[in-house]
Amino acid sequence: MRYRILAMGLLMMVIISCDSDEDKKGRFLLKGNKELEEGNAKGAIDYYDEAIKIDPAFKEAYLNRGVAKHRLLRYEEAISDFSQGIQIDPEFTDALRQRAMAYLDFGENYKALADSEKLLKGDDEDSQAYFIQGLILTELKEYKKALSAFNKGINLNPENVELYINRGTIHYYLKEFGSAMADLELAEAKDPNQSMIFNLKSLILFENEEYEQALEAVNRAIMMDKNQIYYYNNRGLYKLYLDRLEEGLEDINYSLKQNSNNLYALRNKGIYYYKKGNREMALRFLTDVQKKDPAIPLVARYLDRLHPG
């Protein structure tokens, strides 16, 4: 028995001694990818770190580590990793796409836009690049340009459901509700399991003063994605308009607990106080929101009601 154990030990030593750096870094990358797929971004980063120690020019490890850091909201670090990958390979399209999205989430919209333009300069038939550019232009409130980007993306890839949803969102912002609903019908026909479809439907129904139907639609969205805090805030608003004030406040507060800077939730809380007859608190919330973003819908309407004449 002792001989067999020693023999096995020697065999393992031989395998390890023959194990190349290429093999080792590849295994660390795969382990990191598995952790990332299972939702363990921190654990994934540890494996990617080990891969990069072995090969400081391992562009795929920088890319995936950047993705993991992005998921952890470590935007600056993610951007740095994507940039490192691009420095290693200036034609590294995946890293450029991911950096554009990280810039967007970090609020560096013009840097994100520049990356999207680089993508399209490299390939003007890249539907993903048009999708990313549409998202960026939406954030910049360049709605007509965003619409053009999503149209180009759809022409290149008509099966991408998210393109229809986001084009519908632009139509919603432009108050083209019929066109928005048409896009959502197309999206639902392709993939009825997208919660965003039903959330956007609820917003359009609310605009049409169909509050019960709006509530039904957003409830369907929440059933599909219970972790999307914005859906709860929308549901809270609809409940306010259905005179279910305390239920509405519960949803609004839940949303604010997850993100205390959500101006739409703060606006909704102001509307709640207005409907409760608490003028002072309503003014406080609505005035604060208006100072931070005067374009948010409904704020001016309720402030006018609080300042008659």
Side-chain angles (χ1 to χ4, degrees):
M1 289 293 295
R2 182 183 294 273
Y3 175 79
R4 285 185 62 194
I5 292 170
L6 287 172
M8 288 175 66
L10 287 169
L11 180 61
M12 287 188 69
M13 288 177 64
V14 170
I15 291 170
I16 291 168
S17 65
C18 293
D19 197 11
S20 69
D21 284 349
E22 196 72 21
D23 292 333
K24 289 178 186 176
K25 74 176 189 181
R27 281 203 298 274
F28 281 125
L29 182 73
L30 291 174
K31 287 179 179 179
N33 293 349
K34 185 178 179 183
E35 292 295 321
L36 196 58
E37 286 173 10
E38 293 176 354
N40 182 12
K42 288 183 179 178
I45 289 169
D46 291 337
Y47 285 117
Y48 298 138
D49 286 344
E50 292 301 320
I52 289 167
K53 283 180 188 176
I54 294 168
D55 181 2
F58 193 8
K59 67 179 185 178
E60 288 83 3
Y62 285 107
L63 170 68
N64 292 5
R65 189 173 73 175
V67 170
K69 289 176 177 177
H70 193 166
R71 289 189 187 177
L72 293 170
L73 311 184
R74 291 158 57 178
Y75 299 123
E76 289 179 283
E77 294 177 52
I79 290 164
S80 176
D81 274 344
F82 299 139
S83 297
Q84 185 64 40
I86 294 163
Q87 185 175 334
I88 293 165
D89 177 5
E91 304 299 319
F92 198 9
T93 302
D94 287 339
L96 195 56
R97 287 196 190 106
Q98 293 293 340
R99 189 174 72 176
M101 294 302 297
Y103 275 137
L104 177 62
D105 288 341
F106 191 50
E108 297 276 5
N109 298 328
Y110 289 102
K111 289 182 180 179
L113 188 61
D115 274 353
S116 74
E117 288 169 352
K118 287 177 188 174
L119 286 166
L120 290 169
K121 186 176 180 181
D123 181 3
D124 64 0
E125 294 191 354
D126 183 346
S127 67
Q128 284 184 287
Y130 283 115
F131 173 67
I132 292 168
Q133 189 170 79
L135 295 177
I136 298 162
L137 291 165
T138 301
E139 190 66 23
L140 291 168
K141 298 184 179 178
E142 296 274 2
Y143 297 137
K144 291 293 186 181
K145 290 181 181 179
L147 192 62
S148 175
F150 291 134
N151 282 337
K152 289 175 182 176
I154 288 169
N155 288 337
L156 291 164
N157 184 7
E159 297 307 310
N160 186 334
V161 174
E162 290 190 358
L163 282 164
Y164 293 97
I165 296 170
N166 281 279
R167 187 173 71 177
T169 301
I170 297 300
H171 285 305
Y172 165 74
Y173 288 145
L174 294 171
K175 298 192 180 299
E176 299 167 354
F177 300 136
S179 296
M181 276 295 196
D183 270 336
L184 294 179
E185 294 299 331
L186 288 169
E188 188 176 355
K190 293 178 182 297
D191 184 358
N193 299 312
Q194 291 280 345
S195 66
M196 294 181 292
I197 294 171
F198 301 99
N199 180 61
L200 183 54
K201 274 190 177 181
S202 79
L203 292 168
I204 297 165
L205 290 164
F206 174 79
E207 290 290 338
N208 291 332
E209 300 183 3
E210 299 176 67
Y211 305 131
E212 287 285 1
Q213 294 92 326
L215 184 60
E216 289 175 12
V218 80
N219 275 333
R220 189 168 176 184
I222 289 170
M223 285 179 63
M224 293 178 176
D225 186 355
K226 292 181 172 61
N227 297 317
Q228 180 50 265
I229 60 170
Y230 300 105
Y231 298 172
Y232 292 92
N233 181 51
N234 290 340
R235 186 171 73 176
L237 177 64
Y238 310 152
K239 287 177 178 177
L240 295 184
Y241 274 73
L242 289 166
D243 292 324
R244 294 161 61 176
L245 301 185
E246 302 312 317
E247 290 180 47
L249 181 63
E250 186 178 345
D251 277 336
I252 294 161
N253 282 339
Y254 175 74
S255 189
L256 282 169
K257 187 177 180 181
Q258 312 306 313
N259 178 8
S260 61
N261 297 316
N262 181 350
L263 293 181
Y264 285 87
L266 292 169
R267 174 205 66 185
N268 292 349
K269 199 156 185 177
I271 294 171
Y272 164 81
Y273 282 117
Y274 173 86
K275 287 181 175 288
K276 288 289 286 187
N278 190 332
R279 184 176 182 278
E280 181 182 351
M281 291 297 290
L283 273 172
R284 182 186 301 177
F285 276 94
L286 294 167
T287 302
D288 185 53
V289 171
Q290 188 181 56
K291 285 178 183 176
K292 291 174 180 174
D293 187 349
I296 288 185
L298 299 177
V299 174
R301 180 189 303 177
Y302 279 93
L303 284 173
D304 285 345
R305 292 177 183 179
L306 288 163
H307 294 289

